[in-house]
Amino acid sequence: MATVVMEQIGRLFINAQQLRQIPQLLESAFPTLPCTVKISDVPRVFRERHILTGYRQTDQSWRYYFLTLFQRHNETLNVWTHLLAALIILVKCQEISETVDFLRDPHAQPLFIVLLSAFTYLSFSALAHLLSAKSELSYYTFYFLDYVGVSVYQYGSALAHYYYAIEKEWHSSVQGFFLHTAAFLAWLTCFGCCYGKYARHDLPKFAHKLLQVVPSALAYCLDISPVVHRIYSCYWEGCSDPIVLYHVYHVIFFLISAYFFCCPHPESLLPGSCDFFGQGHQIFHVLVVVCTLMQIEALRTDFTERRPLYERLHGDVAHDAVALFIFTTCCCALTAFYVRNRVRAALCEKKE
């Protein structure tokens, strides 16, 4: 008996020794990263208004920037908010696919597109905030990729709202132009954001924001119109559809998030105090994630409960809408690639 007890104690001692080695193993796997630097230590293109510290050093290895996923810097929360949200979208997609046949049911394809486009914009955003600090070219490249994701999501949302959330009266008013206009405005958003980012140091501040915000605002007004009309109709008729409440929250969270995107609060009121936590862009990220999750939950329920209506309204339009989605995605990607080449040429010329 004593021998057995001693053996157990010996095993516990060995396990305790192994536990003590875990920090050393982690340190060897994740080496100590260089400290973050101040705003004066990075090139102008990386500087954000009212954010004074927490910048990562430029011209490091790709491994360094991937490892900064686990480092505290002024982009950490921006990366994690959208990275975790992208994983949640994947889980939701897998969950929905257990009861919905995305391949064989054409009426399910707009739902798949909005899920795919949500995952795209969230993952591209996480990549942009994680990897853009490597160099000036990387900065533009990854943020242009981010804008492609945003534009794709704009069209995906417009399609899903048009397909599942629309009422018969609004459908009869917009069916002749809605999807094509939504696709054009999505492309215009991509172009405006890419060119605005490329030329922002040569443009007045208001012009830079104009190029980024106005196309997005026009696109949003069109894209959300089926939802707003439905909310208004429900309120006017006194309906008790619980899903309309999800759409209301979706709109409210988006409008609040848009405010924080346009206005650098609270860091403009407290310069240097929000370098790591509490930036307006971080608040924007959190709100837009909540907005997206509300949207998807509402559209998922509309897909199930409003099938007789949208089957009668749309017929075979789903196939054309999917083709337009692919075309819009390609146009946005080519636009971002073209502007990136302009950036690369300008950077080469500057070096020479």
Side-chain angles (χ1 to χ4, degrees), residues 36-104:
T36 56
V37 297
K38 297 179 180 179
I39 189 172
S40 57
D41 298 320
V42 295
R44 181 186 177 192
V45 69
F46 299 105
R47 298 175 185 177
E48 297 291 339
R49 288 187 302 162
H50 316 297
I51 306 300
L52 308 182
T53 60
Y55 292 91
R56 290 167 292 170
Q57 298 180 27
T58 58
D59 300 317
Q60 304 294 311
S61 67
W62 285 111
R63 182 169 179 261
Y64 160 73
Y65 295 103
F66 278 107
L67 289 177
T68 60
L69 184 64
F70 307 102
Q71 183 188 33
R72 192 185 75 147
H73 50 82
N74 58 27
E75 293 282 17
T76 302
L77 276 184
N78 289 327
V79 175
W80 277 104
T81 47
H82 278 185
L83 180 61
L84 291 176
L87 296 176
I88 291 172
I89 296 296
L90 279 182
V91 171
K92 279 190 169 292
C93 189
Q94 193 277 329
E95 177 188 333
I96 295 172
S97 67
E98 293 177 358
T99 55
V100 177
D101 191 345
F102 289 126
L103 288 176
R104 295 182 179 84

Side-chain angles (χ1 to χ4, degrees), residues 111-164:
L111 182 61
F112 176 74
I113 283 177
V114 75
L115 287 165
L116 175 64
S117 60
F119 174 78
T120 301
Y121 99 80
L122 290 166
S123 55
F124 284 5
S125 171
L127 279 174
H129 287 287
L130 181 65
L131 302 178
S132 60
K134 180 174 173 57
S135 65
E136 286 194 49
L137 184 60
S138 297
Y139 175 84
Y140 288 108
T141 299
F142 284 106
Y143 276 109
F144 291 171
L145 189 67
D146 183 20
Y147 299 146
V148 171
V150 169
S151 302
V152 166
Y153 175 64
Q154 277 186 359
Y155 177 78
S157 294
L159 171 60
H161 294 159
Y162 175 77
Y163 210 90
Y164 302 121

Side-chain angles (χ1 to χ4, degrees), residues 14-39:
I14 292 171
N15 289 336
Q17 290 286 88
Q18 291 172 340
L19 287 173
R20 289 195 195 100
Q21 293 175 0
I22 288 177
Q24 297 175 355
L25 293 173
L26 289 175
E27 188 175 350
S28 62
F30 300 99
T32 303
L33 298 174
C35 295
T36 56
V37 297
K38 297 179 180 179
I39 189 172

